[in-house]
């Protein structure tokens, strides 16, 4: 089930919140049981075939967590636990890709290609696998005690707002919240604001301008002109940010409505003045996870320079592959790893002289080029697209632009740029952790704007459900 | 205190916005105008275990909700008015 569907908005969410808050707050265990059942229903809606996998792997990790905490063979049980989680991830996410590549090699050498059945990818597996590994490692390190309450552990894994697309919550960040949660009008209000802003980002901006990116990327490279290529990748650059940040806002918002505090996922990534800064602002819950459970165990910064660069490359290869089993994602990871390595090799005295505005513009263009690899179907398509971005022979070929973008899309593309590059005003209207430090006036505006965004998002969503010209009805 | 009342009002408004369409869908209290759509609207699906397991029920239910949520006719008309009147865009 997606947050931006009518079933979720006008069915699941309202009923869930009504029943959840009808249970008195002192019965937190009852609230946990109800939230867990609702989370399984949420998962059943999107991936019914994979509910048994989610349940069985939850039971296995619960038992392994207890074993890690109580036996002398911590290393052995941690290896088994992490191994079975990564094994499932590799089986479902990468087997098809690996066998496909091996099969291609076979055919090159004159052998018959391999035959295999493509396995569907369980919804959210990349997210909940990382969260389970976080629990197991936290218990192994002693950062958190093992969770003996099975319902609480299962809820940590399956909690529906963050189940299918994050934020990736590390166990120690949330462990206390299964026993006691802040349950106030202020918290619910902050959640409402956050949810409404997230819905607007997704429905009004990402979905509206995403159709332009889809149409441009369907054009064969030979038919592309420079202005159209720039329009397409600019729209995709904003689409991916507002889509993902919107989902994260909605997840954080629903979490706040029931008393959970999830970590932040984005912090105006496109105002970064270096690639290093970009990765401190983009998908922060993933980078936080990779830092704690991969980069630091590899030695982090406390190793030789060469080893440090190697560690960085491992992290970025992992980042690329985490997004999907395709060469394009892998190349995207390599691209960012290379940029970060170059940035570290260049003396800071040199990079420090670049005016901030140029540094932001340069970083934005590099990130934008990276998205070409992310969005393209193949590496060769991506390179052809990038060549078109620099093809000045078609610089004035703007005649296709009016057919690709309408007034409404121009407006939302403009708003996307404003909300991406003007953090001050956006931040003032955003949910603020210290809420009370805003003036009454700003607080009133925030609430009013959130409700307007909610209403208009619902209105726009209705457009997608209305089909006035379906010819089969004639 | 005033801030708390305002926050409570926003919360209630939010809950009304997401719950009233369901109430209207179930009861049909407010008579809605009929939209001229050149197709049949999706009827409610019947719950069969196999269709639940395959995901067919969920798909059908989503389509049923899209076509039948409360106040849909008015919301669709407002959307079309905004698209045409403000953005000069037609589908």
């Amino acid at each position: 089930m997606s947050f931006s569907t009518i079933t979720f908005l006008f069915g699941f969410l309202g009923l869930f919140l009504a029943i959840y808050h009808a249970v008195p707050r002192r019965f937190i265990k009852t609230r946990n049981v109800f939230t867990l059942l609702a989370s399984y229903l949420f998962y059943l809606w999107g991936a019914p075939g994979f509910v048994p996998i989610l349940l069985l792997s939850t039971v296995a990790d619960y038992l392994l967590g207890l074993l890690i905490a109580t036996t002398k063979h911590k290393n052995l049980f941690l290896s088994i636990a992490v191994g079975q989680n990564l094994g499932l991830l590799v089986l479902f996410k990468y087997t098809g890709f690996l066998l496909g590549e091996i099969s291609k090699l076979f055919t090159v050498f004159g052998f018959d290609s391999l035959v295999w059945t493509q396995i569907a990818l369980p919804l959210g597996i990349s997210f909940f696998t990382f969260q389970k590994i976080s629990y197991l490692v936290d218990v192994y390190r002693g950062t958190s005690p093992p969770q003996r309450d099975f319902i609480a552990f299962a809820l940590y894994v399956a909690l529906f707002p963050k189940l299918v697309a994050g934020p990736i919550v590390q166990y120690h960040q949330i462990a206390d919240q299964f026993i006691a949660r802040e349950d106030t009008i202020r918290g619910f209000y902050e959640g409402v604001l956050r949810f409404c802003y997230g819905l607007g980002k997704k429905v009004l901006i990402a979905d509206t301008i995403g159709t332009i990116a889809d149409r441009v990327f369907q054009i064969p490279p030979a038919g592309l002109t420079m202005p159209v290529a720039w329009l397409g990748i600019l729209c995709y650059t904003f689409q991916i940010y507002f889509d993902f940040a919107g989902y994260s806002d909605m997840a954080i918002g629903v979490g706040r409505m029931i008393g959970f505090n999830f970590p932040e996922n984005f912090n105006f990534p496109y105002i970064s003045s270096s690639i290093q800064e970009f990765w401190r602002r983009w998908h922060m819950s993933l980078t936080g996870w990779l830092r704690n459970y991969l980069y630091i165990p590899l030695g982090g910064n406390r190793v030789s320079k060469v080893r440090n660069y190697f560690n960085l490359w491992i992290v970025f290869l992992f980042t690329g592959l985490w997004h999907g089993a395709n060469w394009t994602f892998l190349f995207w990871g390599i691209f960012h790893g290379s940029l970060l390595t170059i940035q570290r090799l260049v003396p800071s005295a040199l990079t420090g002289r670049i005016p901030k505005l140029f540094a932001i513009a340069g970083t934005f263009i590099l990130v934008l080029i990276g998205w070409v690899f992310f969005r393209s179907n193949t590496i060769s398509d991506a390179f052809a697209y990038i060549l078109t971005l620099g093809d000045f022979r078609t610089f004035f070929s703007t005649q296709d632009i009016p057919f690709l973008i309408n007034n409404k899309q121009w407006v939302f593309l403009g708003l996307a740029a404003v909300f991406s590059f003007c953090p001050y005003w956006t931040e003032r209207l955003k949910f603020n952790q210290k809420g009370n430090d805003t003036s009454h006036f700003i607080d009133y505006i925030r609430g009013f704007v959130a409700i307007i965004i909610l209403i208009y998002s619902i209105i726009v969503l209705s457009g997608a459900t209305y089909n006035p010209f379906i010819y089969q009805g004639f | 205190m005033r801030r708390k009342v305002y926050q409570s009002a926003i919360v209630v408004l939010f809950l009304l916005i997401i719950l009233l369409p369901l109430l209207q869908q179930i009861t049909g209290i407010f008579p809605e105008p009929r939209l001229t759509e050149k197709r049949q609207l999706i009827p409610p699906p019947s719950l069969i275990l196999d269709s639940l397991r395959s995901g067919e029920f969920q798909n059908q239910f989503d389509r049923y909700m899209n076509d039948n949520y409360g106040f849909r006719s008015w919301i669709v008309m407002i959307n079309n008015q905004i698209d045409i009147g403000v953005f000069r865009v037609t589908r």
Side-chain angles (χ1 to χ4, degrees):
Chain A
M1 196 184 301
S2 167
F3 288 162
S4 56
T5 57
I6 296 294
T7 307
F8 181 81
L9 280 173
F10 292 159
F12 186 91
L13 182 63
L15 291 175
F16 168 76
L17 290 172
I19 298 171
Y20 180 90
H21 286 285
V23 177
R25 66 183 71 164
R26 65 179 183 280
F27 297 125
I28 192 156
K29 287 199 169 183
T30 313
R31 284 182 164 190
N32 285 351
V33 170
F34 172 66
T35 309
L36 181 64
L37 291 175
S39 298
Y40 285 141
L41 176 66
F42 183 88
Y43 196 72
L44 180 81
W45 212 261
F50 297 112
V51 172
I53 290 170
L54 180 66
L55 286 172
L56 286 174
S57 69
T58 302
V59 172
D61 287 319
Y62 170 73
L63 296 173
L64 284 163
L66 292 178
L67 282 171
I68 290 169
T70 50
T71 65
K72 286 179 183 170
H73 308 289
K74 288 177 189 295
N75 290 340
L76 173 71
F77 286 113
L78 180 70
S79 307
I80 293 171
V82 173
Q84 64 104 5
N85 274 295
L86 290 180
L88 273 179
L89 189 62
V90 170
L91 174 72
F92 284 107
K93 195 163 180 175
Y94 303 107
T95 309
F97 173 67
L98 290 172
L99 289 177
E101 294 308 307
I102 293 169
S103 185
K104 276 182 200 164
L105 267 180
F106 273 32
T107 50
V108 167
F109 292 106
F111 296 104
D112 290 338
S113 59
L114 295 173
V115 179
W116 76 96
T117 309
Q118 193 70 36
I119 315 169
L121 183 68
L123 192 65
I125 191 169
S126 308
F127 292 91
F128 66 70
T129 299
F130 271 32
Q131 294 184 151
K132 287 191 295 176
I133 291 175
S134 152
Y135 166 74
L136 296 161
V137 177
D138 282 358
V139 171
Y140 172 82
R141 288 175 175 167
T143 316
S144 301
Q147 180 54 266
R148 292 181 192 280
D149 177 356
F150 178 74
I151 298 293
F153 175 69
L155 188 57
Y156 164 66
V157 176
L159 186 55
F160 78 87
K162 57 150 188 75
L163 175 61
V164 295
I168 299 169
V169 182
Q170 296 170 34
Y171 182 69
H172 61 265
Q173 294 173 329
I174 201 177
D176 296 344
Q177 296 171 31
F178 298 107
I179 305 158
R181 290 193 282 279
E182 184 200 15
D183 184 13
T184 59
I185 282 288
R186 171 86 212 171
F188 199 116
Y189 168 76
E190 286 163 353
V192 166
L193 262 56
R194 202 62 194 268
F195 181 83
C196 296
Y197 293 147
L199 187 68
K201 282 180 185 174
K202 164 76 180 139
V203 175
L204 303 181
I205 296 181
D207 289 354
T208 306
I209 60 177
T211 53
I212 305 163
D214 290 344
R215 288 170 71 183
V216 172
F217 274 87
Q218 277 169 7
I219 300 172
L224 272 176
T225 61
M226 186 182 174
V228 169
W230 276 101
L231 176 70
I233 194 56
L234 194 66
C235 287
Y236 185 69
T237 299
F238 288 128
Q239 181 200 4
I240 194 167
Y241 169 47
F242 282 93
D243 192 279
F244 200 0
Y247 192 96
S248 298
D249 282 347
M250 286 189 272
I252 292 168
V254 176
R256 290 295 292 130
M257 290 180 211
I258 55 173
F260 282 100
N261 275 308
F262 299 149
E264 291 297 325
N265 226 7
F266 293 91
N267 183 20
F268 299 97
Y270 293 150
I271 59 162
S272 306
S273 48
S274 69
I275 293 295
Q276 193 172 9
E277 188 184 345
F278 173 77
W279 281 103
R280 282 200 296 263
R281 292 172 174 274
W282 179 269
H283 203 174
M284 290 144 67
S285 68
L286 175 67
T287 47
W289 190 98
L290 290 169
R291 188 178 56 246
N292 277 347
Y293 304 106
L294 184 64
Y295 184 66
I296 291 175
L298 283 170
N301 291 330
R302 295 159 302 161
V303 288
S304 67
K305 258 193 170 178
V306 177
R307 176 64 204 237
N308 183 231
Y309 290 138
F310 176 75
N311 290 349
L312 265 179
W313 272 78
I314 295 283
V315 168
F316 275 95
L317 280 178
F318 208 81
T319 306
L321 272 179
W322 181 86
H323 284 84
N326 195 323
W327 288 110
T328 51
F329 293 120
L330 193 69
F331 202 90
W332 174 74
I334 292 170
F335 177 74
H336 274 272
S338 310
L339 291 176
L340 212 64
T341 311
I342 293 166
Q343 191 191 322
R344 287 198 175 188
L345 285 170
V346 176
S348 55
L350 212 68
T351 50
R353 283 185 190 170
I354 303 171
K356 186 145 179 140
L357 200 64
F358 287 111
I360 292 173
T363 306
F364 181 70
I365 288 171
L366 289 173
V367 169
L368 181 142
I369 289 168
W371 291 135
V372 176
F373 293 107
F374 201 89
R375 178 63 178 78
S376 299
N377 292 325
T378 63
I379 295 280
S380 56
D381 280 357
F383 277 111
Y385 197 102
I386 289 168
L387 285 176
T388 312
L389 289 175
D391 183 7
F392 283 91
R393 289 170 304 171
T394 57
F395 186 80
F396 294 106
S397 305
T398 55
Q399 65 275 18
D400 294 334
I401 302 282
F403 298 105
L404 286 165
I405 183 164
N406 61 36
N407 294 342
K408 188 177 181 180
Q409 288 163 326
W410 275 121
V411 169
F412 285 106
L413 183 60
L415 286 175
V418 169
F419 293 137
S420 297
F421 293 110
C422 302
Y424 178 77
W425 285 107
T426 313
E427 192 61 38
R428 291 302 293 269
L429 287 173
K430 214 176 113 183
F431 149 70
N432 188 333
Q433 290 281 357
K434 293 172 193 150
N436 286 329
D437 67 359
T438 54
S439 69
H440 284 281
F441 179 69
I442 292 287
D443 208 22
Y444 291 156
I445 289 194
R446 293 194 314 153
F448 179 74
V449 170
I451 292 298
I452 297 292
I453 291 173
L454 173 69
I455 292 171
Y456 188 50
S457 299
I458 289 169
I459 289 172
V460 170
L461 265 180
S462 76
T465 71
Y466 177 57
N467 294 293
F469 296 114
I470 299 292
Y471 283 81
Q472 66 202 33
F474 281 113
Chain B
M1 187 63 197
R2 264 170 51 193
R3 187 185 284 227
K4 202 168 182 180
V5 171
Y6 178 76
Q7 289 171 355
S8 306
I10 293 289
V11 166
V12 171
L13 199 56
F14 172 78
L15 290 173
L16 283 176
I17 290 170
I18 61 170
L19 280 168
L20 280 182
L22 185 66
L23 205 67
Q24 163 74 358
Q25 184 177 348
I26 295 166
T27 62
I29 293 174
F30 302 98
E32 290 186 50
R34 277 182 67 86
L35 292 172
T36 47
E37 287 185 81
K38 293 186 168 44
R39 66 188 178 102
Q40 293 286 323
L41 296 184
I42 306 290
S46 37
L47 182 58
I48 304 163
L49 197 60
D50 277 349
S51 67
L52 190 69
R53 213 179 290 147
S54 68
E56 183 56 31
F57 172 79
Q58 291 89 321
N59 287 337
Q60 284 287 329
F61 190 86
D62 282 342
R63 292 174 61 202
Y64 162 71
M65 284 295 287
N66 285 347
D67 277 2
N68 295 281
Y69 63 87
F71 309 116
R72 178 173 179 269
S73 311
W74 284 315
I75 296 173
V76 165
M77 285 194 285
I78 294 168
N79 183 49
N80 290 343
Q81 281 302 316
I82 293 174
D83 277 357
I84 295 166
V86 179
F87 296 113
R88 311 272 170 215
V89 171
T90 52
R91 282 159 61 92

